[in-house]
Amino acid sequence: MGKSTEPAGAHIEGAEIETPRTEGSKLDIRNLNLYYGDFQALKGIDFTLNPREIAALIGPSGCGKSTFIRVLNRMNDLVPSCRITGDVLLDGADIYGSIDVTELRSRVGMVFQKPNPFNMSIFDNIAYGPRMRGLRDKHLLAELVETSLVKSALWGEVKDRLRKSALSLSGGQQQRLCIARSIAMEPEIILMDEPTSALDPLATGRIEELMVDLKRDYTIIIVTHAMHQASRISDRTAFFLLGELIEYRDTKEVFTDPADKRTEDYISGRFG
């Protein structure tokens, strides 16, 4: 990944010359390999994503999907046995070199499988990140909280109880709150690791509608086990298997005319 300073924990090896960036791409990943000790969890991944697109990552459990998006947010930095090679470029800049991890995590937000609101008010959940970045103006904070909740399709449901505990919200509302918390940091990319797997069908539908709306302003990568979800909301779909990226193309092509027999077997339910 070019010349870089290694974070504490994860060890990054890179070439002296960075891989040229794909013109117009938001993310450009070339020959990404990730090891935990002697175990190779990701193998030679090539992946590009344009601004304001949704990419869905599909594949059986343990195939490397979540490991892949953790790389994009540098969540392995404190894992001593982790070693990464290859290029991971955000707008042409090496996220393991020239971009500070704090800056990276403000530009690349993360929403997890299980909603994880803080044990504080709805307002303070959204305002937490901006306050940590130094925003103290009450008027600006209130505007930012409202904007984030509007974008996450939650404002109408909580505007009269912003000082109530976030833990009083339903599961689907808590997940939208976590999305709003990410939006408040004004990210460019939002990573979602199975964000609807713990939700009922109604809440799942709301999150899917929200993701399609958010695509107007953000680039989104979602890990999902629900292939119908991937086919409904994503522009491009990546099929992972045993740490390899088997196929990555336009979603319609992947689901109607897969190029690899392993992709066809997976989406047809023959395994996984």
Side-chain angles (χ1 to χ4, degrees), residues 6-23:
E6 294 178 14
H11 175 66
I12 293 86
E13 297 177 353
E16 293 300 315
I17 300 174
E18 291 184 343
T19 303
R21 178 188 174 202
T22 301
E23 188 64 31

Side-chain angles (χ1 to χ4, degrees), residues 133-204:
R133 294 173 64 182
L135 182 60
R136 292 289 182 267
D137 185 288
K138 293 182 179 180
H139 178 70
L140 291 178
L141 276 172
E143 282 189 347
L144 184 58
V145 168
E146 179 175 348
T147 298
S148 301
L149 288 169
V150 168
K151 285 186 175 182
S152 65
L154 192 56
W155 174 251
E157 299 169 42
V158 302
K159 62 182 179 180
D160 296 324
R161 47 180 177 143
L162 295 177
R163 299 300 173 183
K164 300 291 186 180
S165 171
L167 302 181
S168 66
L169 299 175
S170 69
Q173 289 174 325
Q174 287 185 13
Q175 193 65 294
R176 280 183 283 149
L177 177 70
C178 293
I179 293 171
R181 193 172 65 197
S182 178
I183 289 172
M185 296 298 289
E186 301 179 332
E188 300 161 33
I189 298 173
I190 302 176
L191 309 174
M192 299 187 177
D193 193 358
E194 298 191 56
T196 63
S197 64
L199 305 180
D200 62 46
L202 181 61
T204 294

